[in-house]
Structure formats: structure tokens, C-alpha cells
Amino acid sequence: MEMITLKDAARITKLSYTYLYEKRKEYGFSFQSKSKNRVGKWLVDKKEFEENFKAKHNANRLTSEIKEVKKCQLKNVATSGILTSSRRMGQELDALLVRQTKNRR
């Protein structure tokens, strides 16, 4: 039975210490003190913590594999960079020329 602290759990799960401290009761942490002056640590069994963490964070969804790769279903995609409309081409050219001569002296 391996016991881990809040700090260790934060490092293992890559969550913040503050978040785990707020949720310590939900994950099964208990305060363990050696003296009566309330100096101690929040500890939990490592296996119990892993089970609670997987149940609450849906670890199966995060580690699932992609089994099927779908291809793009869009058939009418322009493959070249040529403008199809002569009016659109004229507008683009005018916009480029205005940009070049705008600040010239």
C-alpha cells in the first residue's frame, strides 16, 4: 500500500496543487498527523487515487485510439491558385495597385 501526498498527486496527474487541494475529499485524501498541533500531510493510497481520478476525468476517452481515418468528402475543391472570375481578378489587382501607390510621393 503506497501512500502519496497532494504534491505527488499533482505531479503525477499534471494538475495544479490548488485544484487537488480543493477536491481532496472527492479523491479520497485524508489528513494524517503525528502530533496534536495539526501539523501533517494529506495522504491517499496511490491505487485508490488512480481509480478515482480515472472515474472523474474519463481517462478512457483521452487515451482512445482513432481507428478510422475519413477522407474529405468535398469533391469540388479548386486545386490551383488561379482566380476563376475575371471580375474578381480585376478587383484583386486594383486592391494591390491601390496599396502600392497609396503612400507614394
Side-chain angles (χ1 to χ4, degrees):
M1 183 159 103
E2 183 182 355
M3 301 296 277
I4 58 173
T5 63
L6 271 171
K7 190 180 280 187
D8 295 334
R11 187 173 31 83
I12 290 169
T13 59
K14 297 180 183 171
L15 293 173
S16 72
Y17 176 85
T18 308
Y19 173 80
L20 284 178
Y21 184 80
E22 290 173 358
K23 305 285 184 180
R24 64 190 180 272
K25 296 288 184 179
E26 294 176 25
Y27 288 116
F29 283 91
S30 61
F31 190 76
Q32 310 232 338
S33 177
K34 292 182 180 178
S35 63
K36 294 181 181 179
N37 61 359
R38 301 286 296 164
V39 176
K41 296 180 181 180
W42 288 96
L43 299 173
V44 69
D45 180 40
K46 187 173 182 178
K47 287 185 180 183
E48 180 184 341
F49 174 73
E50 288 174 352
E51 289 172 4
N52 286 339
F53 183 77
K54 285 180 183 177
K56 294 198 184 321
H57 288 277
N58 198 3
N60 294 333
R61 178 181 56 85
L62 298 174
T63 59
S64 65
E65 295 180 13
I66 299 173
K67 295 180 181 177
E68 183 180 334
V69 177
K70 294 184 179 180
K71 294 182 180 179
C72 182
Q73 297 177 358
L74 188 59
K75 300 281 183 190
N76 53 359
V77 176
T79 56
S80 64
I82 300 171
L83 296 171
T84 56
S85 168
S86 61
R87 182 172 49 174
R88 178 79 177 151
M89 191 181 338
Q91 290 173 348
E92 293 277 334
L93 183 60
D94 290 341
L96 287 172
L97 292 175
V98 168
R99 198 178 296 161
Q100 285 180 349
T101 61
K102 190 172 186 180
N103 292 330
R104 260 192 168 171
R105 292 188 177 202

